[in-house]
């Protein structure tokens, strides 16, 4: 429970700090993640919400901070994440496409049947956004890999794939 409160506080701090940033965006996406738990190919799906800032740039490279919450589940399996970390994007200004990468840290909550665990988590991800209206982007694809601990000290590295919309202001 304390880990959830800490993660929620980090996420709120990220969103609040975005108010003074150079550029801000909020996003909602649909995520599918392959857990691969217990020798199976368990997929959990659900929404991921977040906000990012772009605080600086040098020619086509922009950098900032991202905070996100993922709420994924299937049947009796849940995988929730609360993550924050740096974001780097390549913005060409010739094509309406932005390529980005992130390295996030935070906590996750994993439960399967009667087993439940809160753990430190990190995630590496990358993706591409296509601008189709002046302040609206389609997050065409985002791929991610996460580290999570499960029963008996076993470490899994789930693979995720997402798509969604980004509102920039």
């Amino acid at each position: 429970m304390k880990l959830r409160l800490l993660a929620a506080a980090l996420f709120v701090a990220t969103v609040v700090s975005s108010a003074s940033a150079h550029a801000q965006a909020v996003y909602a996406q649909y995520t599918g993640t392959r857990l691969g738990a217990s020798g199976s190919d368990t997929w959990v799906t659900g929404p991921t919400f977040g906000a990012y800032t772009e605080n600086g740039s040098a020619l086509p490279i922009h950098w900032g901070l991202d905070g996100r919450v993922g709420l994924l589940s299937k049947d009796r399996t849940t995988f929730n994440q609360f993550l924050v970390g740096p974001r780097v994007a390549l913005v060409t200004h010739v094509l309406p496409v932005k390529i980005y990468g992130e390295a996030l840290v935070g906590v996750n909550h994993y439960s399967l049947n009667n087993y439940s665990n809160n753990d430190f988590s990190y995630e590496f991800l990358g993706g591409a956004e296509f601008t189709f209206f002046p302040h609206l982007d389609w997050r065409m694809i985002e791929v991610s890999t996460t580290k999570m601990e499960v029963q008996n000290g076993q470490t899994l590295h789930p693979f995720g794939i997402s798509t969604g919309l980004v509102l920039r202001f």
Side-chain angles (χ1 to χ4, degrees), residues 56-76:
S57 65
L59 296 175
I61 305 297
H62 295 217
W63 58 86
L65 189 65
D66 187 356
R68 63 176 52 207
V69 175
L71 306 170
L72 312 179
S73 65
K74 179 183 178 188
D75 299 329
R76 293 182 293 170

Side-chain angles (χ1 to χ4, degrees), residues 49-148:
F49 304 101
Y52 70 80
T53 65
E54 289 183 347
N55 298 329
S57 65
L59 296 175
I61 305 297
H62 295 217
W63 58 86
L65 189 65
D66 187 356
R68 63 176 52 207
V69 175
L71 306 170
L72 312 179
S73 65
K74 179 183 178 188
D75 299 329
R76 293 182 293 170
T77 303
T78 62
F79 180 53
N80 300 327
Q81 299 176 290
F82 308 93
L83 303 166
V84 63
R87 170 187 168 89
V88 176
L90 173 65
V91 183
T92 63
H93 299 291
V94 175
L95 299 173
V97 175
K98 180 186 300 185
I99 310 289
Y100 64 92
E102 300 178 9
L104 309 173
V105 296
V107 294
N108 68 45
H109 172 75
Y110 172 73
S111 66
L112 174 64
N113 298 326
N114 294 327
Y115 174 77
S116 180
N117 186 34
N118 293 319
D119 186 36
F120 168 78
S121 180
Y122 62 83
E123 180 171 84
F124 298 105
L125 61 91
E129 297 173 356
F130 173 75
T131 302
F132 62 95
F133 285 119
H135 295 283
L136 192 59
D137 296 348
W138 170 37
R139 186 163 281 177
M140 299 182 295
I141 188 167
E142 180 180 276
V143 294
S144 64
T145 185
T146 306
K147 172 258 174 198
M148 67 183 239

